[in-house]
Amino acid sequence: MDESTNYKVIRGAYKYLRNDTIYCEETFDVSKEKKENVYTFESVLHSRVATGELLTMKVLYRLNKEYVPTFVMLERNLGENSIKEIYDYDSRKNILKYSFLDTKGQSHDHELTTSNKFFITTPSTCCSMVFLRSKKFDNKGENHYNFWSSHNQWEFTEIPSITSISIKKMSTRHESISIEGNKLQALEYRLSEAQDDSLVETPEYIRIYLSKHVTIPYIVKDEKDNTTIQIKFLNNLD
């Protein structure tokens, strides 16, 4: 896609907190293709690791009109270590081409057979809920989605695999939430791993408060480990 046909529609940032301490920050831009209803998310995350070194991650997430990812790239840099992961979707063959370029410059390439409705996990929060637009949502029950996930960090260890999540809408209309004194309108969702509920008395879940802007979350909260991802600012440029 020609980048000149894109224009920015949203700019924003997050802070990541654990036990009320900021451990990561994310800035992001969302662009829209002029002729088609196609979005591209670009984000940069900065975090300090235990050694004091700066970990930087860059994510490019491009969607088609059905809100299925067609091209996803993750770059991870820490000191002298640098890797790149790329997912490139061939919709005619339903093939997801995966490449992992390690620090030594060696490329590990694989083709993954996939369904035509899927999502790809990344460290970025801004595009983490866009899968909700990919198919009709059941407002009264649980909805299931398939994700391609990679566990490769600085070395290639295995090809990405499919995981499934379950998500439920908790509010039927937008409710008022407060973030550092600012009143915002959001929808509450609860996300958990898809599983047989008969085997789990109380499934663990992540609480999500979703904005009206291209499914961008205002808040992502994991109460189990006291982690919160919270919007710092979100500017609608369209």
Side-chain angles (χ1 to χ4, degrees):
M1 180 165 51
D2 185 356
E3 295 296 331
S4 64
T5 65
N6 279 0
Y7 66 100
K8 290 183 180 179
V9 291
I10 294 173
R11 178 179 293 118
Y14 290 102
K15 60 181 179 181
Y16 291 57
L17 303 103
R18 183 174 294 119
N19 299 320
D20 297 324
T21 299
I22 297 175
Y23 68 92
C24 180
E25 293 189 311
E26 174 181 348
T27 57
F28 65 89
D29 293 303
V30 182
S31 301
K32 188 176 181 181
E33 209 276 329
K34 291 181 179 179
K35 294 182 180 180
E36 303 285 350
N37 190 28
V38 176
Y39 291 91
T40 299
F41 292 75
E42 295 180 76
S43 59
V44 180
L45 296 88
H46 295 291
S47 179
R48 290 284 176 185
V49 299
T51 60
E53 291 181 294
L54 180 66
L55 171 63
T56 300
M57 293 178 285
K58 297 180 180 180
V59 176
L60 172 65
Y61 206 100
R62 186 172 294 155
L63 301 155
N64 62 17
K65 290 185 290 185
E66 286 74 39
Y67 295 93
V68 172
T70 57
F71 185 84
V72 175
M73 181 169 63
L74 165 65
E75 297 180 64
R76 188 182 292 114
N77 296 278
L78 177 64
E80 297 181 354
N81 294 314
S82 178
I83 67 94
K84 183 182 292 185
E85 286 183 285
I86 295 175
Y87 297 83
D88 194 358
Y89 177 48
D90 184 341
S91 59
R92 293 172 300 176
K93 299 180 180 179
N94 277 343
I95 294 292
L96 189 60
K97 299 175 182 179
Y98 172 78
S99 298
F100 183 94
L101 184 65
D102 63 26
T103 297
K104 297 177 181 179
Q106 183 176 355
S107 183
H108 305 265
D109 304 313
H110 297 272
E111 290 190 349
L112 312 170
T113 302
T114 185
S115 65
N116 60 1
K117 294 291 184 182
F118 64 90
F119 186 67
I120 297 169
T121 60
T122 74
S124 177
T125 296
C126 67
C127 57
S128 61
M129 297 294 291
V130 75
F131 63 87
L132 289 176
R133 290 194 167 200
S134 67
K135 64 180 183 180
K136 187 176 180 180
F137 192 85
D138 179 3
N139 288 322
K140 295 182 180 180
E142 291 191 352
N143 295 260
H144 299 273
Y145 296 84
N146 292 325
F147 288 68
W148 283 102
S149 300
S150 166
H151 299 289
N152 300 315
Q153 295 295 317
W154 301 108
E155 296 180 354
F156 176 81
T157 57
E158 60 184 21
I159 63 173
S161 57
I162 283 284
T163 58
S164 297
I165 64 99
S166 174
I167 188 162
K168 189 173 183 179
K169 192 175 184 179
M170 304 305 295
S171 51
T172 57
R173 62 182 65 184
H174 286 84
E175 59 184 80
S176 180
I177 61 172
S178 179
I179 300 179
E180 297 185 351
N182 297 310
K183 297 292 184 180
L184 302 169
Q185 297 295 308
L187 289 171
E188 182 186 349
Y189 291 81
R190 290 185 183 179
L191 184 150
S192 60
E193 290 186 13
Q195 55 194 327
D196 184 350
D197 288 342
S198 65
L199 302 177
V200 182
E201 292 184 5
T202 308
E204 296 176 356
Y205 62 85
I206 296 173
R207 194 188 305 269
I208 299 162
Y209 292 93
L210 215 60
S211 76
K212 300 178 181 179
H213 307 286
V214 204
T215 67
I216 294 173
Y218 280 139
I219 297 175
V220 178
K221 183 184 288 289
D222 186 346
E223 296 174 347
K224 181 184 177 183
D225 61 1
N226 202 21
T227 298
T228 301
I229 303 170
Q230 181 174 293
I231 200 77
K232 288 177 65 178
F233 69 87
L234 194 156
N235 297 332
N236 188 358
L237 308 176
D238 195 5

